[in-house]
Amino acid sequence: MRLLLVGPPGAGKGTQAAMICTKLGIPHISTGAMFREAMAKGTKQGQKAKEYIEAGQLVPDDVTVEIVKERLMESDCSQGFLLDGFPRTVAQAQVLDGILEELGIKLDKVISIELPEEKILERLTGRRVCTKCGATYHTQYNPPLQEGKCNECQSDLIQRSDDTEATVKRRLVVYREETAPVITFYDKKELVCHIDGDKPISQVLNSVGQCIGRDL
Ligand code: ADP
Ligand code: ADP
Ligand code: ZN
């Protein structure tokens, strides 16, 4: 199955993606996670991405498209994939169309997780992520079993450097202006399931399952 997951920051994309991908056995491709990995390694791409990410801006399309293209060419994507947080601009969506056409494949569904703006700030300021495996928690809505430690690998949990109030506000403006039109782009192709993300995690997962016709 070939899926896209879109939605504002904090909507629950990463949380849902991890569960969907485990269940379906497809790779979870998160451009944000790939950038954070590159940043941690200090690669050239990572250094470039860091400036933009910490300013709440999008990483330029050319850098982003390059890493996605390389990733989709890897053999584990041949039976399906879930792209999380890409495309984030209409230009990226158009490039993706070209890549898929070249590979002779089509998207099955675009899952749009929706969340009112006033809920976004508390989602992001309470978010904690595992330094090692990237698992995501929330201090209030999805706390780890042991405070500050990952359930999966027991590593330390941290707050992302871009999850500050000032940066979140900028990310929201960017979302409205640059990413929301991506949903319209796929609506025209009749590929989108609009899902209410303002529900408990398990309920959102059920709605995703209904969208793709699978029991998750
Ligand atoms: P969130 O989970 O809060 O939506 P992500 O982890 O997906 O955030 O992305 C973190 C940051 O990485 C974004 O704010 C942006 O700066 C950058 N980024 C991620 N994906 C893209 C993309 N497709 N295009 C441009 N920048 C991106
Ligand atoms: P995104 O990848 O869209 O930015 P995340 O999956 O990282 O979003 O979720 C943002 C924060 O909200 C995390 O702290 C996560 O634990 C929490 N969260 C995710 N889904 C829900 C939900 N349905 N209800 C409450 N909190 C949630
Ligand atoms: Zn972990």
Side-chain angles (χ1 to χ4, degrees):
M1 197 160 282
R2 299 181 179 96
L3 304 170
L4 299 188
L5 200 49
V6 294
K13 302 181 296 295
T15 302
Q16 296 296 327
M19 297 185 289
I20 300 164
C21 289
T22 303
K23 195 80 191 211
L24 298 181
I26 52 175
H28 173 195
I29 306 176
S30 157
T31 39
M34 288 196 277
F35 287 137
R36 282 187 289 280
E37 210 177 293
M39 277 157 58
K41 283 191 189 145
T43 66
K44 221 168 156 192
Q45 270 179 344
Q47 283 167 358
K48 188 154 183 202
K50 190 175 162 78
E51 286 170 45
Y52 293 95
I53 291 175
E54 292 190 346
Q57 301 293 333
L58 293 182
V59 178
D61 285 345
D62 56 341
V63 181
T64 308
V65 160
E66 196 53 42
I67 66 158
V68 172
K69 193 167 181 181
E70 278 172 19
R71 184 67 187 86
L72 286 178
M73 302 288 176
E74 286 176 36
S75 59
D76 64 334
C77 291
S78 63
Q79 298 309 312
F81 52 79
L82 182 151
L83 273 169
D84 162 12
F86 180 92
R88 257 178 158 97
T89 64
V90 170
Q92 289 178 8
Q94 286 163 338
V95 175
L96 179 62
D97 265 359
I99 297 173
L100 296 177
E101 201 174 324
E102 241 175 76
L103 294 171
I105 55 182
K106 282 194 161 62
L107 293 173
D108 292 295
K109 285 283 178 207
V110 175
I111 302 161
S112 169
I113 304 186
E114 297 166 0
L115 189 70
E117 285 203 6
E118 66 271 18
K119 298 284 173 82
I120 290 174
L121 191 62
E122 61 165 12
R123 286 274 185 101
L124 293 183
T125 50
R127 172 157 66 185
R128 298 292 182 272
V129 295
C130 175
T131 42
K132 193 167 171 207
C133 75
T136 302
Y137 301 87
H138 192 280
T139 50
Q140 191 182 343
Y141 302 122
N142 186 22
L145 297 170
Q146 190 192 345
E147 199 187 325
K149 298 281 176 201
C150 179
N151 294 351
E152 309 295 326
C153 71
Q154 278 71 51
S155 301
D156 290 336
L157 302 182
I158 55 154
Q159 195 164 9
R160 270 169 47 176
S161 59
D162 58 339
D163 279 347
T164 60
E165 188 166 343
T167 310
V168 170
K169 290 204 167 126
R170 259 173 272 138
R171 285 157 69 196
L172 279 183
V173 174
V174 171
Y175 179 79
R176 241 183 271 137
E177 291 176 355
E178 309 222 35
T179 308
V182 171
I183 298 172
T184 314
F185 176 91
Y186 288 114
D187 261 333
K188 288 185 190 144
K189 297 176 187 277
E190 298 186 351
L191 283 173
V192 186
C193 293
H194 295 268
I195 289 179
D196 183 1
D198 193 12
K199 291 275 185 302
I201 293 174
S202 58
Q203 219 168 305
V204 178
L205 185 65
N206 269 336
S207 306
V208 174
Q210 277 173 14
C211 161
I212 62 175
R214 296 285 288 267
D215 198 13
L216 296 175

